[in-house]
Amino acid sequence: MTQQEIQKLEIQLGKTLPKSYRFLLQNYPEFLLTAGEPYNTVCEFVLLNSIEKIVYLNSWLQNDNPPLPNYLIAIGDDGAGNCYFINTQNEKIYFFDHENQDYEDDTEAINYENGLQEKHQTIQEFVQYLTDFWQDEDFLAMYNRDK
């Protein structure tokens, strides 16, 4: 993603991207562009790299009850409705499992504060985790067997 595209993304999100996330989007790892083929690749779900998909996911979450807290930016999902976020205040990566969420009273409103699980200290750590996962021989053997 170019600097101009990142500025466009920030305008559409109404948020300033953390420095580490900006760097990632400008230097997206080539390996993650194809990891997961012929099905959905990492960049299509888990760690999005397109303006359209990032804006769509965040817009969708803004329509939740309650909306996504302003300090979180959704950066991907696992394909089953569970999302990965970067915290704009501390740049840590969090995961939210919608099936383990806490509901507030009878309103069934999502409680992001209680449902977030810290997963990685940095975006670089998250990228390394994804790279290691998609290069694991046991996982790849199972994945390729099921194709």
Side-chain angles (χ1 to χ4, degrees), residues 17-125:
L17 301 182
K19 187 177 177 179
S20 62
Y21 187 47
R22 292 171 67 94
F23 182 83
L24 170 73
L25 292 174
Q26 290 177 302
N27 302 279
Y28 199 89
E30 190 171 326
F31 172 74
L32 295 180
L33 293 173
T34 57
E37 288 184 335
Y39 304 109
N40 297 310
T41 60
V42 170
C43 68
E44 292 175 305
F45 275 106
V46 181
L47 187 55
L48 302 172
N49 74 334
S50 81
I51 292 172
E52 295 79 17
K53 289 182 180 186
I54 296 168
V55 169
Y56 176 80
L57 180 58
N58 281 274
S59 297
W60 180 70
L61 292 169
Q62 280 306 119
N63 292 324
D64 272 348
N65 177 24
L68 186 64
N70 203 37
Y71 64 89
L72 293 176
I73 297 173
I75 60 173
D77 70 78
D78 67 357
N82 307 309
C83 294
Y84 291 96
F85 299 94
I86 188 164
N87 183 317
T88 60
Q89 298 168 342
N90 62 21
E91 300 195 30
K92 292 181 181 180
I93 305 302
Y94 292 85
F95 182 72
F96 187 82
D97 183 340
H98 74 282
E99 292 181 14
N100 291 335
Q101 68 186 344
D102 292 330
Y103 289 103
E104 296 176 356
D105 305 324
D106 295 331
T107 63
E108 292 198 12
I110 294 172
N111 186 334
Y112 285 104
E113 298 294 328
N114 293 332
L116 288 173
Q117 304 165 26
E118 184 179 316
K119 286 297 185 181
H120 303 282
Q121 292 290 312
T122 64
I123 193 85
Q124 295 85 355
E125 191 180 291

Side-chain angles (χ1 to χ4, degrees), residues 128-141:
Q128 188 61 55
Y129 163 78
L130 293 172
T131 301
D132 292 347
F133 180 82
W134 283 97
Q135 291 179 337
D136 179 75
E137 290 182 21
D138 293 333
F139 171 76
L140 288 175

